[in-house]
Amino acid sequence: MISVQDFLLIDAPAMVTGALAALACALVGNFLVLRKQALIGDAMSHVVLPGIVVAFWVTGVISAVPMLLGALVAALVAAGLIEAIRRLGHMEPGAAMGVVFTVMFALGVVLLERSGGRDVHLDVQHALYGNLEGTLWIGADGWGSLVDPSALAELPRQLVTLAVITAVIGALIVLFFKELRLVTFDPALATALGFPAHWVNLAMTVVTAAAAVAAFEAVGSILVIAMFICPPATARMLTDRLTTQVWLSALFAVGAGLLGYLFAAFGLGWFGIDASLNAAGMIAVVAASGQVLAMLFSPRHGVIARRRAIRRSADEATAQRLA
Amino acid sequence: MIAQPQPHRSPIDPAAPLSVRDLTVTYDRKPVLWGLDYDAPAKGLIAVVGPNGAGKSTFLKATLGLVPLIGGTVRIFGKPVGEMRDRIAYVPQRESVDWEFPASALDVVAMGLYGKIGWLGRVTGKHKKTALEQLDRVGLADFADRQIGRLSGGQQQRVFLARALAQDAQVYLMDEPFAGVDAATERAILATLVDLQKAGRTVIVVHHDLDTVAEYFDHALVLNVRKIGDGSVADALSADILRQAYGGRLATAHLPDLARAG
């Protein structure tokens, strides 16, 4: 049994950070998945890498604001490049996006390798796969720390950044829910009614980049895409209402974050093996497992329910023929 | 393609529900609409006809500012579209949206009210009641809670129509509302258009079925990138104009029938 102090020092911050990372991405992911632009999340999580590295180079510190700014600049550059290549090269958007995000990611990796040799440095491994295990709450020494301002002031920086960004994303979605619904469903009508779809889309790209950066430190740039897609896609299987879908996706994201970490940290221990697994990877596995379960067992959209509906209508047809 | 000089372009008609001058749109350098001048009459249902690729949908989109103009002027009752957004309703082609979207028929109809609600405004019970009344007008009140993907094509088209009714506009622009609907829906939609027209609204409809133009509409605008003709259905659908617009694509045997019907 682990002590309260160890739990608050090691496990609690990592769990909360993982859950918040998944939550921030999933909230945005709902709208990306519905527009069939889920890969924008993937593209953004990759293109922000050079922005983050350059911001780190310029400032010499890993801190939220410059990293976010660097990432947003990179995201906007990428959005511009994708549009330019699409128009000038007469390429379909998917191909244009593929070219831009792989090249920018490659640039990020190259820059990242050169960022070593300083006191502080960005770790390639962590940038790609995340470093939830490195999220420690040094000031915690018991449950009392949860209400102790001086201990709370020492909460890990990643966790605080993520909490702020998640709160902002959540607030934006609540405030602009009507506009997001309209632009996602029918961008032409949205523009005709005076909600210019291209501005909303640009804002969406910026918010997607912000979510990608916030989650980047926790789960790395490669696994972020699972957070963008799995919880909303799972939620979509279980409801036909957008509001319910967004709430469910939030629930699944938090669930995947918490369970994923628990399985990674303690899962092997339950089988008597004294080792742990990569937490970010496990979160993605849990999120994907949820989606598989929903695809199989969803009451309306699931494979089994649809099979049953087909068989029932076939039986009815047979019965009618015999009658 | 070279624009022909237009020395006698008449000024915008400030009384016309829709008045365009020299409207020009290109996609990737290919002209889709070229130098279009048109004044919509204040009374009567208006059909926009022409062969595939004639720029009919683009004409509606250009009017609404949904596609970039190479040149030209669009005025609604003499004012720029940006000032008249709450006076125009738009019904896009049914295929332009994803009907698997998680929304009920009522949700979609309520979208017609978003312009009036404005940025940051909430959809309230009052708005839902208005949306339900519009759904009832097109005979779909019983389907209000149904996910839109589980409606038939004709019902989906009527949901779009109800959404436009909810906009309570002065000018209605509709892109192929009769495409792929059953006969009952076609009659229901036509009855609604006639009601709108009688209530003094201007209804401009992109219509692909030449056989029913004369029966359903009072006026026609015949397009094939350029304006080929306009006026009353009888004038606009003369054999000569149709031959110019459709060329070899229309069996010549068809023409005298249409001209007579008009």
Side-chain angles (χ1 to χ4, degrees):
Chain A
M1 202 46 217
I2 56 162
S3 70
V4 169
Q5 192 177 353
D6 277 358
F7 179 76
L8 287 178
L9 170 72
I10 303 169
D11 302 305
M15 280 169 74
V16 174
T17 305
L20 284 174
L23 179 59
C25 294
L27 286 175
V28 182
N30 279 294
F31 300 95
L32 298 178
V33 169
L34 286 174
R35 287 154 189 239
K36 314 206 185 306
Q37 289 182 333
L39 286 176
I40 286 203
D42 198 25
M44 282 305 143
S45 62
H46 285 71
V47 302
V48 296
L49 189 60
I52 292 170
V53 179
V54 170
F56 170 68
W57 267 16
V58 173
T59 60
V61 290
I62 306 182
S63 112
V65 175
M67 269 175 45
L68 266 179
L69 286 178
L72 291 184
V73 170
L76 293 178
V77 167
L81 281 177
I82 290 169
E83 192 58 21
I85 291 181
R86 202 175 64 76
R87 288 205 188 151
L88 301 176
H90 293 278
M91 255 193 219
E92 55 114 356
M97 208 187 291
V99 170
V100 170
F101 92 67
T102 45
V103 169
M104 287 188 68
F105 186 62
L107 184 70
V109 171
V110 172
L111 291 173
L112 194 56
E113 301 243 302
R114 302 297 315 147
S115 75
R118 296 212 204 173
D119 297 346
V120 201
H121 74 110
L122 286 169
D123 186 293
V124 178
Q125 182 94 10
H126 291 169
L128 300 189
Y129 305 113
N131 185 25
L132 267 186
E133 292 82 352
T135 318
L136 302 174
W137 187 11
I138 307 292
D141 59 0
W143 293 118
S145 301
L146 286 174
V147 289
D148 173 8
S150 66
L152 287 175
E154 286 181 57
L155 274 173
R157 182 187 44 77
Q158 300 98 304
L159 195 159
V160 176
T161 311
L162 257 172
V164 170
I165 290 183
T166 310
V168 169
I169 291 175
L172 285 174
I173 289 181
V174 170
L175 281 176
F176 293 103
F177 193 75
K178 164 172 116 290
E179 287 78 6
L180 285 167
R181 185 210 302 257
L182 179 59
V183 170
T184 307
F185 176 64
D186 192 343
L189 183 77
T191 308
L193 286 178
F195 305 100
H198 57 275
W199 287 115
V200 179
N201 288 340
L202 186 68
M204 199 73 203
T205 306
V206 170
V207 171
T208 306
V213 183
F216 151 89
E217 276 193 276
V219 296
S221 27
I222 296 180
L223 295 174
V224 164
I225 187 63
M227 313 297 148
F228 274 116
I229 298 179
C230 290
T234 308
R236 178 69 192 90
M237 300 298 296
L238 300 176
T239 178
D240 279 332
R241 306 205 75 90
L242 185 57
T243 350
T244 317
Q245 180 189 318
V246 173
W247 282 112
L248 280 178
S249 75
L251 185 72
F252 294 148
V254 171
L258 299 179
L259 286 179
Y261 180 84
L262 285 178
F263 288 155
F266 307 111
L268 290 178
W270 299 333
F271 296 99
I273 304 165
D274 187 19
S276 61
L277 297 165
N278 175 284
M282 207 59 211
I283 293 175
V285 169
V286 170
S289 308
Q291 191 175 349
V292 170
L293 289 178
M295 274 157 53
L296 288 175
F297 300 112
S298 152
R300 258 250 332 276
H301 300 280
V303 174
I304 293 172
R306 274 188 308 198
R307 280 264 166 83
R308 209 173 273 163
I310 290 170
R311 193 171 318 134
R312 200 166 38 230
S313 58
D315 287 350
E316 275 166 21
T318 317
Q320 275 174 8
R321 236 188 345 263
L322 292 177
Chain B
M1 194 182 263
I2 301 159
Q4 281 161 4
Q6 299 273 355
H8 301 299
R9 188 156 268 140
S10 59
I12 289 274
D13 177 358
L18 168 66
S19 185
V20 305
R21 288 295 177 275
D22 198 20
L23 191 65
T24 301
V25 179
T26 66
Y27 290 149
D28 284 334
R29 292 187 212 101
K30 187 177 162 286
V32 187
L33 268 186
W34 200 266
L36 179 69
D37 293 351
Y38 180 64
D39 293 308
K43 280 202 160 66
L45 294 178
I46 305 162
V48 180
V49 297
N52 290 334
K56 305 185 294 287
S57 297
T58 305
F59 168 60
L60 297 193
K61 287 181 186 157
T63 301
L64 288 158
L66 301 180
V67 292
L69 305 184
I70 297 295
T73 317
V74 178
R75 289 290 181 269
I76 306 289
F77 293 107
K79 296 211 179 88
V81 182
E83 295 173 22
M84 301 294 279
R85 294 217 175 276
D86 58 338
R87 311 284 295 277
I88 320 168
Y90 174 49
V91 178
Q93 283 184 24
R94 188 158 54 87
E95 299 79 46
S96 68
V97 302
D98 174 16
W99 291 91
E100 288 303 310
F101 193 86
S104 66
L106 191 72
D107 289 335
V108 172
V109 176
M111 288 178 190
L113 299 165
Y114 285 13
K116 290 203 171 55
I117 299 172
W119 286 96
L120 297 174
R122 302 268 109 188
V123 181
T124 63
K126 193 186 77 187
H127 300 123
K128 287 189 178 152
K129 190 166 157 281
T130 309
L132 190 61
E133 285 163 13
Q134 304 310 325
L135 260 182
D136 195 30
R137 263 175 90 178
V138 298
L140 287 180
D142 292 342
F143 296 86
D145 286 330
R146 186 169 288 196
Q147 195 268 328
I148 50 174
R150 294 194 294 144
L151 298 170
S152 73
Q155 290 169 333
Q156 291 173 346
Q157 193 66 62
R158 279 190 274 167
V159 167
F160 261 11
L161 186 64
R163 184 175 73 173
L165 294 175
Q167 283 183 253
D168 190 24
Q170 193 60 40
V171 180
Y172 287 78
L173 303 173
M174 306 192 181
D175 202 344
E176 305 244 12
F178 296 107
V181 302
D182 54 279
T185 302
E186 184 147 346
R187 276 194 302 276
I189 294 176
L190 183 65
T192 312
L193 301 193
V194 170
D195 284 349
L196 281 173
Q197 195 268 123
K198 281 186 185 148
R201 316 299 168 92
T202 303
V203 183
I204 303 176
V205 178
V206 169
H207 192 61
H208 69 294
D209 183 8
L210 280 179
D211 293 326
T212 50
V213 175
E215 187 186 335
Y216 294 176
F217 294 92
D218 307 300
H219 307 277
L221 165 64
V222 185
L223 291 179
N224 191 358
V225 182
R226 291 158 188 279
K227 180 168 83 179
I228 309 295
D230 74 326
S232 71
V233 189
D235 294 341
L237 297 187
S238 72
D240 190 38
I241 288 176
L242 287 175
R243 203 174 290 114
Q244 263 191 66
Y246 287 83
R249 272 172 284 189
L250 198 67
T252 14
H254 213 54
L255 289 174
D257 290 348
L258 277 169
R260 214 177 301 127

